[in-house]
């Protein structure tokens, strides 16, 4: 699990570095424009409601996005936009649980024997997390620090797990059906045949694929703190860094048919991790340009 998480964050890091390179180019270009706009600086220092507009781009652990900002009070700025992941698939090998079956009757079954011949299966994690948001920034002190609070709303799927070899898991599907029949007939409690992900077992569907989604709340409150300005008071260009928690509930693993996957353990591993992972850490860097 740790290896997979590290791979995911390396993908985020790679994407973040690319965005920072683009951001640096924009900063250079915008600075050149800003140098030509000194005669308008007094206009941009006026306080008021909805009398200024800034457009920004951002990137970080919450993804990459764009937003607009307007002042609604002397110390409050309102931002609205969309943000999401733009990273590629993360691939890893998952262990086939059929190889762990030792009960003699099951091992003698042809379907189980075929499944036991498969050692590991390659899965791809597809980050597909997009949200629209509305956020208020409160600057109560004459310093660059501020508080932020808002609401994110979007798709519930944070990660999508699928095997890379489409329709190739017929043996796992057949073996799992045999285990289900065996448990029903003999009142046993053997675990499903599928692919291990921590304390969870992903079983193949009728299309012979692993199709599992990690789901969260559709509407997610956010609280954070920031440093910088989303709308510069005396300049056109501004930079800010915002860090906080996106509260999305305890994530669930769900099959494509909507059935929730039960963990094989309640006290350790990824199950214990998810039980308290109800807030997703967000660190976003934002570059904005003030149009008026």
């Amino acid at each position: 699990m740790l290896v997979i998480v590290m791979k995911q964050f390396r993908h985020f890091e790679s994407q973040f570095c690319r965005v920072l390179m683009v951001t640096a180019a924009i900063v250079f270009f915008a600075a050149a424009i800003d140098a030509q706009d000194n005669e308008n600086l007094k206009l941009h220092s006026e306080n008021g409601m909805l009398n200024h507009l800034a457009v920004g781009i951002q990137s970080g652990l919450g993804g990459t996005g764009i937003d607009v900002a307007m002042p609604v009070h002397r110390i409050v700025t309102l931002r609205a936009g969309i943000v999401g992941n733009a990273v590629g698939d993360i691939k890893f090998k998952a262990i086939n649980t059929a190889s762990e079956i030792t009960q003699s009757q099951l091992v003698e079954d042809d379907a189980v024997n075929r499944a036991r011949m498969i050692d590991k299966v390659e899965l791809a994690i597809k980050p597909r997390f997009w949200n629209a948001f509305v956020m208020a920034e409160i600057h109560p002190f004459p310093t660059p620090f501020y508080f932020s609070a808002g609401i994110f709303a979007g798709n519930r799927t944070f990660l999508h797990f699928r095997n890379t070899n489409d329709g190739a898991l017929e043996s796992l599907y057949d073996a799992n059906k045999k285990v289900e029949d065996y448990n029903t007939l003999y009142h046993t409690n053997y675990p499903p045949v599928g692919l291990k992900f921590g304390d969870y077992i992903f079983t193949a569907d009728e299309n012979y694929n692993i199709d599992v989604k990690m789901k969260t709340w559709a509407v997610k409150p956010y609280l954070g703190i920031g440093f910088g300005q989303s709308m510069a008071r005396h300049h056109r260009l501004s930079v800010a860094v915002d860090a906080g928690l996106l509260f999305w509930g305890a994530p669930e693993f769900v099959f494509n048919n909507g059935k929730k996957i039960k963990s094989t353990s309640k006290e350790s591993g990824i199950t214990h991790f998810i039980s308290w992972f109800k807030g997703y850490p967000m660190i976003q860097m934002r570059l904005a340009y003030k149009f008026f």
Side-chain angles (χ1 to χ4, degrees):
M1 174 60 189
L2 180 59
V3 173
I4 296 169
V5 172
M6 291 301 295
K7 285 184 178 179
Q8 181 182 352
F9 276 94
R10 280 199 294 270
H11 275 71
F12 279 116
E13 183 182 12
S14 176
Q15 179 70 13
F16 190 48
C17 289
R18 287 195 293 270
V19 173
L20 286 180
M21 292 176 64
V22 175
T23 300
I26 295 175
V27 170
F28 181 79
F29 178 72
I33 297 176
D34 194 44
Q36 300 175 6
D37 289 332
N38 288 330
E39 67 276 9
N40 297 322
L41 294 183
K42 290 184 178 180
L43 172 66
H44 288 269
S45 66
E46 295 175 354
N47 291 317
M49 179 180 293
L50 306 179
N51 63 336
H52 300 306
L53 173 68
V55 175
I57 59 173
Q58 60 176 285
S59 186
L61 295 181
T64 303
I66 187 171
D67 59 41
V68 295
M70 299 188 78
V72 294
H73 186 270
R74 183 175 58 85
I75 63 171
V76 180
T77 299
L78 196 65
R79 287 200 287 126
I82 186 169
V83 65
N85 293 320
V87 298
D89 296 348
I90 306 167
K91 298 179 181 179
F92 69 100
K93 293 290 184 69
I95 298 174
N96 169 24
T97 61
S99 61
E100 301 175 349
I101 295 177
T102 58
Q103 212 284 337
S104 60
Q105 290 95 323
L106 289 176
V107 171
E108 292 169 1
D109 186 88
D110 289 340
V112 175
N113 274 328
R114 290 196 303 271
R116 293 181 73 218
M117 294 175 66
I118 301 174
D119 182 21
K120 294 182 180 180
V121 177
E122 186 177 65
L123 289 181
I125 301 179
K126 305 171 183 289
R128 301 290 186 269
F129 198 54
W130 290 89
N131 290 279
F133 68 89
V134 177
M135 185 179 301
E137 295 180 0
I138 304 172
H139 297 256
F141 312 112
T143 68
F145 288 98
Y146 63 85
F147 300 100
S148 55
I151 293 291
F152 286 68
N155 67 319
R156 294 185 59 202
T157 300
F158 179 62
L159 298 174
H160 186 186
F161 298 80
R162 210 171 192 281
N163 50 293
T164 57
N165 193 2
D166 188 64
L169 304 180
E170 182 177 1
S171 59
L172 292 186
Y173 175 79
D174 291 341
N176 187 55
K177 285 297 180 183
K178 286 292 182 180
V179 170
E180 290 179 351
D181 293 342
Y182 190 91
N183 285 336
T184 301
L185 181 61
Y186 295 102
H187 304 288
T188 53
N189 192 31
Y190 287 99
V193 172
L195 304 182
K196 273 189 174 183
F197 183 74
D199 303 321
Y200 293 84
I201 298 176
F202 299 162
T203 58
D205 59 22
E206 60 276 7
N207 297 316
Y208 311 137
N209 291 313
I210 300 295
D211 198 338
V212 175
K213 295 176 180 177
M214 178 180 170
K215 290 195 171 185
T216 64
W217 291 344
V219 178
K220 315 162 191 74
Y222 174 83
L223 290 174
I225 58 174
F227 181 85
Q229 293 178 317
S230 289
M231 180 176 294
R233 183 175 175 83
H234 298 293
H235 300 278
R236 290 192 182 273
L237 192 66
S238 60
V239 178
V241 177
D242 200 281
L245 285 176
L246 187 68
F247 297 95
W248 61 3
E252 298 176 340
F253 291 100
V254 182
F255 287 119
N256 194 40
N257 61 8
K259 184 179 178 181
K260 187 169 72 170
I261 305 174
K262 294 182 179 179
S263 168
T264 59
S265 171
K266 301 297 182 184
E267 304 297 334
S268 62
I270 191 172
T271 305
H272 183 69
F273 175 72
I274 285 180
S275 67
W276 60 262
F277 191 46
K278 298 178 181 179
Y280 179 71
M282 296 270 283
I283 301 177
Q284 297 290 110
M285 179 177 180
R286 182 176 184 269
L287 173 69
Y289 184 79
K290 191 176 189 179
F291 284 92
F292 64 85

